[in-house]
Amino acid sequence: MFRILKKSFQTGVVTETPPDVADAEFERIGIELRRRIDVRFSRSLAIRQVDAGSCNACELEIQALNNAYHDVARFGVHFVASPRHADALLVTGPVSRHMEAALRRTWRATPSPKFVIAAGDCACTGGEFGASYASCGAVEKVIPVDAKIPGCPPSPLELLQGLLHVLRG
Amino acid sequence: MTHSDQISDSDQMPRSAWLCEYLARLEDEQVMAQHGDARILAPAHRLELDPEGWATAAKVAAAMGLRHAGLWADCLDDSALAAEDRAIRMQACLEHAGDYLVLETQVPMLRPVLASQASIYPGVDRLERHAHDLTGLELTSQPDGRRWTRHQAWPEDRFPLRGDFPLAGEPVGRAPADADYPFGRVQGTGVYEIPVGPVHAGIIEPGHFRFHAMGEDVLQLEERLGYVHKGIEKLAVGRDPAGLARLAGRVSGDSTVAHAWAACQAMERATDCIVPARAQALRGLMAERERVANHLGDIGAVCNDVGFAFAHLQCGRLRERWQRRSQALFGHRLMMDAVIPGGVAVDLCDKVVEELREDHAQLKSEIVPIFDVVADHPSLDDRLMTTGVLSEADARQLGCTGYVGKASGLAFDVRRDSPYAPYDGLAMDGAILAEGDVAARVRVRMAEIGNALRWMDRLLKSLPDGPICAQLPEAEAGAMGLGIIEGWRGEILSFIRFGPDGRIARYFPRDPSWFTWPALERLIHGNIVPDFPVCNKSVNGSYSGQDL
């Protein structure tokens, strides 16, 4: 127990001391995001992430949104376990044909009003995989998309900027 | 070691004793085996077999304790060939004490029938079903026989890797869910089924798990993967080497360096390309950075799955800092597209080398107190020890490598047992444990971080000067290469065959997940359903790397 406390005290709160410019930018975008989430979603934006055929790089970067440096929860963004609890779907991958039905069902299970955000080059345009016998080629070919966040994979900062863009729209 | 060195080595050295023994035993079994050209697929040995001897060859290999490192089918059905000349070539890779042997056989496309090796080597069961779904190779006495990679996106009698199958596929409208896949059943009073997925509750990849449980105890787990099948092998056909390296970097995003390296190594071996020493060193540096990043993230995530947030937050913090450094050094947080055919895309300056060493020292001092807690904390011990035990026999039978094998007593590591540059001049320390439980897998990964940091320090001390990239020579028609790399999950094989135009005709990346996914089905036996997430995370198979 003391070892844990010692390490925790020594580490301090990394979130409050932006070590470089990128984090200052992250903070600024985050605060604006928070303001918009406060107004439009009563202070909490619940996101259901759906991997529809990504190579898992996008997932790594979306997970990084939750680490101590980024801690998106402080801006009111939460990742939820069920589409029924979600305000928005964050979809990655070129939509493999084998995930087509599952993605459509997830979308139907999400209560309206809802947003769909395509994250990553594959989700936006098909990316490196494109359209083929095995993939549909973009999220918008399967379900309606409200916003796109390009990048291979998009960095946590780009993801946050993309979310802000949706809320501005 | 350059490619030409390897050839002369194998020419001068007497053929390994085990290979002579294997050949002798094949002869006893009346299997016709012909030694293939030693240069093709070097450093692996090559044996051409009659299709009739295919299953026997596996039986003899198993009796000698060889490890099966995977198999793949290759359609030789160029439109210029007459129908009766078209064939499917099957290749299987065996390994013994770091020495590789590729078995090869060919069956006519008009009657593509071959005996299965999966009843002898259960680890290759899914690889065989994958080969069938994509090439139409019929495997007789296949112990399972159900579809694997194919769901409902293309018809049962069409095979995407055949030359006559268009990349765009044939219009079938919306692909329906694969609702009637025949799962194995466990029946009895009190037995119930839990279907999970393909869409999972966290920020992870999709796949389906079918549990049969009684009370809390898992009686049987069956995986159904293939949901993220993107047709990577078909997309590779016709690409140039640079395009293939980009695609290989997206086989599994968390292993982007390792897969790109394996594919480039295969292309370089196929074309006799001599990669500059500095490029090899930088590739090693990137691969070890990838290993450290993933191990850090997963150690934290395993702890988080049993409610121990402290380690998750600390490891997540260190991983983030590590990734930012990768961005600064190699222009990408995951180092995507930094490994290119013939070398690497980014060089390091001397100033950075010094900073990196400080970085390593800092990470070392940071992980000591954290790993100290993870290795010795009563509530963690309680949940992780004796949970998800994979026996050495199971690990060996399935062919597990990487931390899954090492935590179950299998020391094999390509970097140590079949070293390639830069590991051939600079040895990597090993880590091995016998317990086989979740705790052991975590400990092996903690040890691997320490080993990787020490190794990178030694590498940076003597970083070779010179160019960072060589021109990849034009490939001869039909040239083949086999890349073998120790990724952070374990041994990655990458097979490449060039077509007549210097473009890729066949690419097959064999991620270690092909063998660790079946291991998860075994190690979950007798555990409680709520421990599945932590067991799964401790293995952390790649869905994308397996589905392709």
Side-chain angles (χ1 to χ4, degrees):
Chain A
M1 193 69 218
F2 286 117
R3 289 178 302 172
I4 296 175
L5 288 174
K6 185 179 166 205
K7 184 68 199 170
S8 297
F9 278 127
Q10 278 176 348
T11 308
V13 183
V14 290
T15 329
E16 279 184 357
T17 48
D20 54 34
V21 190
D23 265 23
E25 178 72 4
F26 190 88
E27 209 80 358
R28 190 191 62 73
I29 294 170
I31 289 162
E32 193 180 341
L33 187 64
R34 161 106 249 177
R35 222 176 278 133
R36 288 174 190 273
I37 290 173
D38 282 357
V39 176
R40 296 190 63 172
F41 292 98
S42 305
R43 295 182 297 180
S44 149
L45 174 69
I47 296 180
R48 173 67 254 224
Q49 194 267 338
V50 184
D51 175 342
S54 93
C55 72
N56 78 29
C58 288
E59 278 60 44
L60 290 175
E61 293 299 63
I62 294 169
Q63 276 169 8
L65 281 172
N66 285 322
N67 71 28
Y69 277 87
H70 301 124
D71 187 23
V72 285
R74 69 193 150 134
F75 307 130
V77 178
H78 302 273
F79 288 91
V80 293
S82 167
R84 304 220 185 265
H85 304 156
D87 303 308
L89 294 181
L90 184 64
V91 188
T92 62
V95 190
S96 60
R97 303 284 304 274
H98 293 165
M99 274 303 287
E100 198 184 333
L103 176 63
R104 216 175 255 121
R105 286 180 190 176
T106 307
W107 183 77
R108 278 205 301 269
T110 311
S112 293
K114 58 192 162 195
F115 281 139
V116 175
I117 306 156
D121 285 348
C122 297
C124 296
T125 63
E128 195 66 34
F129 304 110
S132 74
Y133 78 93
S135 63
C136 303
V139 176
E140 64 189 354
K141 295 193 178 162
V142 180
I143 54 174
V145 168
D146 299 282
K148 295 176 182 177
I149 307 176
C152 188
S155 68
L157 182 66
E158 286 165 335
L159 285 163
L160 207 59
Q161 279 169 332
L163 287 178
L164 183 62
H165 183 74
V166 187
L167 297 172
R168 274 190 187 139
Chain B
M1 185 167 31
T2 62
H3 181 63
S4 49
D5 286 339
Q6 286 165 357
I7 294 165
S8 56
D9 278 350
S10 59
D11 281 346
Q12 285 155 13
M13 270 183 343
R15 205 182 300 143
S16 324
W18 70 272
L19 192 53
C20 293
E21 166 79 16
Y22 182 63
L23 283 168
R25 290 203 195 185
L26 282 184
E27 212 162 289
D28 291 346
E29 298 280 343
Q30 325 275 327
V31 174
M32 296 293 289
Q34 213 178 4
H35 237 277
D37 186 337
R39 277 169 308 175
I40 301 173
L41 294 183
H45 308 278
R46 209 166 134 254
L47 270 188
E48 288 167 10
L49 303 176
D50 281 344
E52 293 74 29
W54 191 246
T56 318
K59 211 176 291 165
V60 173
M64 282 179 62
L66 310 188
R67 178 171 65 88
H68 204 309
L71 44 76
W72 55 90
D74 189 359
C75 294
L76 308 173
D77 61 347
D78 194 80
S79 52
L81 289 171
E84 60 271 19
D85 292 337
R86 296 181 189 177
I88 297 180
R89 184 194 285 148
M90 187 73 151
Q91 289 175 315
C93 185
L94 303 169
E95 179 270 334
H96 177 73
D99 219 4
Y100 287 87
L101 169 69
V102 175
L103 303 179
E104 193 175 303
T105 193
Q106 214 161 297
V107 290
M109 192 66 102
L110 291 172
R111 196 175 170 278
V113 182
L114 189 64
S116 162
Q117 296 186 336
S119 54
I120 303 142
Y121 282 106
V124 302
D125 173 74
R126 290 169 181 178
L127 282 161
E128 285 191 345
R129 289 156 69 191
H130 175 79
H132 168 264
D133 287 357
L134 293 187
T135 68
L137 181 69
E138 296 289 339
L139 289 145
T140 53
S141 334
Q142 220 282 344
D144 193 309
R146 291 173 292 174
R147 60 182 175 272
W148 178 249
T149 302
R150 185 181 73 84
H151 288 196
Q152 299 298 328
W154 67 93
E156 195 178 353
D157 55 354
R158 299 288 288 143
F159 305 104
L161 287 182
R162 295 248 177 120
D164 62 354
F165 190 96
L167 174 62
E170 291 141 347
V172 293
R174 289 180 175 186
D178 193 25
D180 59 351
Y181 181 78
F183 284 98
R185 303 287 298 269
V186 178
Q187 286 171 315
T189 316
V191 178
Y192 61 99
E193 269 183 67
I194 314 173
V196 179
V199 180
H200 292 160
I203 305 170
I204 48 169
E205 299 177 79
H208 183 92
F209 299 113
R210 184 67 58 100
F211 295 92
H212 282 86
M214 186 144 75
E216 291 270 58
D217 296 336
V218 177
L219 298 178
Q220 178 180 291
L221 161 66
E222 190 176 347
E223 294 151 2
R224 173 75 179 124
L225 304 180
Y227 286 92
V228 286
H229 176 69
K230 298 175 278 286
I232 285 177
E233 291 157 274
K234 186 79 176 174
L235 288 167
V237 177
R239 286 203 175 210
D240 60 5
L244 185 86
R246 260 199 328 275
L247 184 67
R250 284 155 184 84
V251 166
S252 180
D254 50 20
S255 308
T256 176
V257 173
H259 270 289
W261 189 357
C264 288
Q265 194 188 53
M267 290 190 280
E268 288 150 7
R269 284 175 173 171
T271 57
D272 288 335
C273 175
I274 295 170
V275 180
R278 189 175 176 85
Q280 298 284 29
L282 291 177
R283 285 177 176 183
L285 183 73
M286 284 191 268
E288 295 309 317
R289 288 190 69 82
E290 182 170 85
R291 189 180 321 275
V292 169
N294 282 297
H295 284 352
L296 274 176
D298 282 357
I299 291 167
V302 166
C303 294
N304 194 49
D305 275 343
V306 293
F308 192 62
F310 164 78
H312 181 53
L313 290 168
Q314 292 288 350
C315 290
R317 174 178 70 87
L318 296 175
R319 182 191 154 101
E320 175 67 22
R321 218 165 55 191
W322 193 252
Q323 275 188 273
R324 288 180 186 192
R325 178 63 92 178
S326 295
Q327 163 86 48
L329 296 178
F330 299 103
H332 195 284
R333 284 166 55 91
L334 303 171
M335 297 169 287
M336 256 179 189
D337 304 327
V339 177
I340 54 173
V344 293
V346 195
D347 201 359
L348 293 185
C349 64
D350 293 345
K351 189 172 139 281
V352 168
V353 170
E354 201 41 55
E355 283 173 16
L356 259 181
R357 282 171 42 194
E358 284 164 28
D359 241 26
H360 298 166
Q362 199 193 354
L363 182 62
K364 263 183 238 169
S365 69
E366 287 253 28
I367 55 176
V368 169
I370 299 167
F371 287 0
D372 188 36
V373 173
V374 172
D376 172 32
H377 191 74
S379 71
L380 274 181
D381 290 352
D382 191 37
R383 292 294 304 279
L384 305 184
M385 285 180 168
T386 70
T387 301
V389 177
L390 180 71
S391 71
E392 184 182 332
D394 278 346
R396 190 183 296 280
Q397 193 187 33
L398 293 171
C400 296
T401 55
Y403 50 83
V404 177
K406 286 174 195 159
S408 293
L410 304 180
F412 180 78
D413 187 316
V414 188
R415 296 170 296 172
R416 201 196 60 175
D417 297 312
S418 184
Y420 45 98
Y423 300 98
D424 51 355
L426 194 57
M428 171 65 76
D429 302 324
I432 176 169
L433 284 172
E435 288 85 351
D437 54 5
V438 174
R441 286 188 281 280
V442 169
R443 277 160 203 239
V444 164
R445 299 178 80 170
M446 292 196 293
E448 284 204 336
I449 293 179
N451 291 346
L453 287 172
R454 279 192 295 278
W455 185 86
M456 285 190 283
D457 279 343
R458 296 211 304 274
L459 179 80
L460 290 175
K461 248 180 228 159
S462 55
L463 198 62
D465 287 324
I468 56 162
C469 196
Q471 179 75 32
L472 191 76
E474 185 80 11
E476 284 171 34
M480 295 190 282
L482 185 65
I484 310 169
I485 294 289
E486 182 79 11
W488 65 273
R489 278 195 180 90
E491 173 205 63
I492 291 175
L493 294 189
S494 199
F495 171 77
I496 280 175
R497 176 171 63 85
F498 281 96
D501 47 0
R503 290 178 174 265
I504 306 298
R506 179 76 172 108
Y507 168 55
F508 180 71
R510 204 277 293 131
D511 194 85
S513 309
W514 280 100
F515 305 126
T516 55
W517 277 119
L520 178 63
E521 286 185 347
R522 296 200 185 180
L523 64 84
I524 196 67
H525 270 278
N527 284 268
I528 56 173
V529 178
D531 272 349
F532 174 70
V534 70
C535 289
N536 187 12
K537 195 73 211 176
S538 76
V539 174
N540 197 5
S542 169
Y543 298 74
S544 180
Q546 196 278 179
D547 292 352
L548 296 176

